[in-house]
Amino acid sequence: MTEKPDTLLKYGFAKDFGFAVAGYEEGAALVAMRAGADIAYLREVRRVIGQPIRLVHKSQQEFDAHLSTVYAADGFDASLHDNLPVEGLDSALEGLPQTADLLANDDDAPVIRLINGLMAEAVKTRASDVHLEPFEHTLSVRLRIDGVLAEVASLPARLAPFIVSRIKVMSRLDIAEKRLPQDGRLSLTLGEKAIDVRVSTLPSRHGERVVLRLLDTAQAHLTLPDLGMPDAVYRGMKNLLAEPNGILLVTGPTGSGKTTTLYASLSLLNDQTRNIMTVEDPVEYAVPGVSQTQVNSKVGMTFASGLRAILRQDPDVVMVGEIRDMETAEMAIQASLTGHLVLSTVHTNSAAAAVTRLKDMGVEPFLMSSTVKGVLAQRLVRKLCPVCKQPHSNAAHVATLLSITDTKRLAEPVGCPACNGTGYKGRIGIYELLHVDDTVRHLIQENVSEQAIEKHAFQNGGTLSQSGAQLVEEGITTVEEVMRVSRVSGATHAGV
């Protein structure tokens, strides 16, 4: 790969010793010199650049801002632009020098290798998030795998500023700003797998905390059958998506797969005969054939204002990332009343609780009953590792707990290399679908409690806990996992 003229001086050298190329003028290289930099290193600067130089004096803040601009232009050119290495985090850690200053070399290869190895490890283990947390003496590195955090490395605290600065450069953030939170994003590949990474930094007591959220672009192409929905829920969702207008809500806590379900729903509708538009915060996956708009509150682009603008673009289907206030709810209702199908999410613990949530926002019951067509509540539970799972040692107790009659397939986790010793590998959804029929519509208008709505809607079954119990009976997951994300009637953790 050919060096960019402005980055002939390696990032590590520039940051550590305070010299960086700032441009070229009349046959000479303009070299930015940070206030307080040792002039003795000019000899090395001249050697690397190979032509006359002219110094440009800059303050610490000006120099850091210049570094961020020049080296961010490369993004991942020096590290993750090409495919990530096959080796993972262990080999990268082995290659770290023991010196106090990683960037005192002529390049920042050790830091690059460490970040490469960390990202490769995260992708290979299907991690959704990477947490870098600085403490007084250590930098904790944790991965969220299948919804559960696990520490994979504890590094010396002295490495934290170097790693954070490099990540900031990669994601085009301001390395000079350490007092305010920042958000950015970057892209990488591992083999044929394309990964988008959202970067979030947050000042903490011992330095900046960084969280990297990995978004597998393949998730954008999942279909509803890929999500593991029970047949009844899948048929119900297809019927709701066939409605010409109305509101379909997906509900659940953060990390329960709501966005993935919405994208899968859009893929079912995306047949080129409809104008499908979204307003999201942020746009997580690019979907071909769908017009996607990102919320930007700094310039007044909110969910409500974005939805208002979208309605002037002749849409057939509108997806709103989240209904979080009365203004957005009113716009969603207005859109459904004027002949649009609106898909969105709310944060509630059950399908019926979405009704209460909208009421709390100020939505009138008669408007809700005439526009909301259905509410899908969901959670994600970890699946037992198919390699090492074994028949449950206390199947009779589990059967009593969940009112299960067939105990042949009940299983429990063991742990093996294939699942990193956790006993679980991958996740699957559990669902409950509230279809707003005439009776539910009447109950909403009567302003009854969510318990009364649930009693009618799920009188024949289909609740979250029953969906989870079915997966337990089939040997796909465990009762502990179902209890972790949903309440099982009459069960206690101590009793399992």
Side-chain angles (χ1 to χ4, degrees), residues 55-273:
L55 287 179
V56 180
H57 294 276
K58 290 183 179 290
S59 67
Q60 173 82 43
Q61 188 170 359
E62 289 173 336
F63 185 85
D64 284 347
H66 173 71
L67 265 191
S68 183
T69 301
V70 170
Y71 289 88
D74 271 348
F76 272 97
D77 280 357
S79 55
L80 297 176
H81 179 69
D82 299 320
N83 286 354
L84 286 170
V86 175
E87 65 271 11
L89 184 59
D90 292 341
S91 58
L93 291 174
E94 289 174 6
L96 277 178
Q98 297 302 310
T99 59
D101 192 347
L102 281 179
L103 299 180
N105 306 309
D106 60 351
D107 60 38
D108 50 0
V111 171
I112 292 173
R113 283 199 303 271
L114 176 61
I115 295 173
N116 278 359
L118 174 59
M119 300 308 292
E121 186 79 10
V123 172
K124 288 179 202 172
T125 56
R126 311 173 326 289
S128 61
D129 300 86
V130 179
H131 290 240
L132 301 172
E133 303 166 281
F135 297 103
E136 185 175 1
H137 302 296
T138 61
L139 173 67
S140 174
V141 180
R142 297 195 291 172
L143 302 181
R144 186 177 295 279
I145 303 171
D146 293 333
V148 179
L149 278 172
E151 185 171 80
V152 295
S154 182
L155 306 175
R158 58 183 169 78
L159 302 185
F162 304 138
I163 293 172
V164 172
S165 291
R166 182 63 195 175
I167 290 174
K168 281 186 170 183
V169 166
M170 293 169 175
S171 51
R172 294 167 171 78
L173 299 179
D174 185 358
I175 62 173
E177 181 55 77
K178 298 179 173 61
R179 301 163 299 173
L180 295 174
Q182 295 187 65
D183 295 298
R185 71 186 305 155
L186 48 92
S187 299
L188 57 91
T189 56
L190 181 64
E192 298 300 317
K193 185 187 287 287
I195 305 290
D196 283 330
V197 183
R198 288 214 313 262
V199 181
S200 173
T201 70
L202 180 71
S204 67
R205 182 181 179 188
H206 297 291
E208 288 181 280
R209 192 182 192 280
V210 179
V211 175
L212 310 170
R213 167 152 287 192
L214 280 65
L215 303 169
D216 187 349
T217 54
Q219 296 287 327
H221 306 297
L222 291 177
T223 62
L224 287 176
D226 295 331
L227 303 182
M229 289 181 175
D231 288 340
V233 174
Y234 173 59
R235 289 194 304 271
M237 282 294 289
K238 282 189 69 176
N239 291 335
L240 289 170
L241 291 169
E243 293 278 353
N245 55 62
I247 299 175
L248 172 59
L249 297 173
V250 181
T251 181
T254 301
S256 60
K258 299 188 298 296
T259 303
T260 300
T261 298
L262 286 180
Y263 279 128
S265 300
L266 290 182
S267 70
L268 182 68
L269 298 168
N270 189 17
D271 59 2
Q272 303 302 314
T273 66

Side-chain angles (χ1 to χ4, degrees), residues 455-478:
K455 184 176 181 181
H456 165 75
F458 303 114
Q459 57 186 327
N460 296 320
T463 63
L464 275 174
S465 58
Q466 288 168 334
S467 177
Q470 181 63 34
L471 294 180
V472 173
E473 186 174 2
E474 294 172 4
I476 295 174
T477 188
T478 61

Side-chain angles (χ1 to χ4, degrees), residues 46-57:
R46 282 198 191 93
R47 184 191 70 77
V48 172
I49 294 176
Q51 59 181 297
I53 64 173
R54 188 176 303 160
L55 287 179
V56 180
H57 294 276

